[in-house]
Amino acid sequence: MKILKKIFLLVMVFLTTLFMVKPISGYDSLITLQRNGSDVTHFWSSDKVMIPDTYTEKDTEFRGVWVATVYNLNMPVHTSETQYKAAFQSLIQEVLESNMNAILFQVRPMNDAFYDSDYAPWSRYLSGIEGTDPGWDVLGWMIDEAHAYGIEFHAWMN
């Protein structure tokens, strides 16, 4: 499974590079992006990255991973607090090993929720039975746990 994730990541990097937007007109002048005194080139290419002369480079990147809960694609059914926390901690380790810094977690898979809500029942993909309260603040704990490892946590709702 890990090899498939690495292949997927390589394909995504390749496609991003393949369809990378070339410099656009409309700027007074473009300059070559430099980092640590060297020109920056597009991935797998010798084409220099050109930027507007007023550009300020960000010092952080958003490298996120989508975590699908529908049909328990990326998270298992909750059988106990200990089991679910261990599964999420394992996910965090994979995120860190993959050099990612953000999780986009599906908290509303099918008009149900991974948190206590007045509008939607507890998710069947959390407890196995729609409307069953797991007995603890699952989402709150996941947010705190991700932040403890320096990982951003974003809620993804359907």
Side-chain angles (χ1 to χ4, degrees):
M1 190 59 138
K2 284 189 179 185
I3 191 75
L4 290 176
K5 289 179 185 178
K6 288 181 182 180
I7 291 170
F8 176 76
L9 184 60
L10 272 172
V11 169
M12 293 308 297
V13 168
F14 173 74
L15 290 175
T16 301
T17 304
L18 184 65
F19 296 107
M20 188 157 301
V21 177
K22 301 295 181 194
I24 57 174
S25 60
Y27 294 101
D28 290 336
S29 64
L30 294 174
I31 59 173
T32 303
L33 174 63
Q34 290 199 330
R35 188 174 294 128
N36 300 326
S38 299
D39 292 343
V40 176
T41 59
H42 292 282
F43 191 70
W44 288 344
S45 166
S46 60
D47 294 341
K48 293 178 182 176
V49 175
M50 303 299 291
I51 59 172
D53 60 359
T54 57
Y55 178 79
T56 303
E57 185 176 5
K58 307 285 187 224
D59 60 357
T60 59
E61 297 178 352
F62 182 89
R63 297 179 312 276
V65 60
W66 295 87
V67 178
T69 56
V70 67
Y71 305 118
N72 297 104
L73 290 174
N74 300 122
M75 285 298 290
V77 172
H78 176 284
T79 57
S80 72
E81 183 175 344
T82 302
Q83 167 266 345
Y84 207 76
K85 285 181 176 182
F88 189 74
Q89 288 166 334
S90 176
L91 174 73
I92 283 180
Q93 290 309 310
E94 282 190 65
V95 167
L96 292 171
E97 288 169 9
S98 300
N99 199 29
M100 300 290 181
N101 62 8
I103 292 173
L104 295 94
F105 194 90
Q106 188 177 31
V107 299
R108 295 273 315 259
M110 293 184 74
N111 203 29
D112 51 5
F114 272 63
Y115 54 90
D116 190 22
S117 170
D118 292 336
Y119 303 103
W122 283 99
S123 179
R124 71 195 84 166
Y125 302 113
L126 179 59
S127 66
I129 301 170
E130 187 171 293
T132 302
D133 184 343
W136 59 289
D137 184 5
V138 177
L139 183 58
W141 179 84
M142 288 191 294
I143 293 169
D144 291 342
E145 190 70 6
H147 290 172
Y149 286 89
I151 299 170
E152 295 178 25
F153 189 99
H154 299 266
W156 156 30
M157 299 181 182
N158 284 359

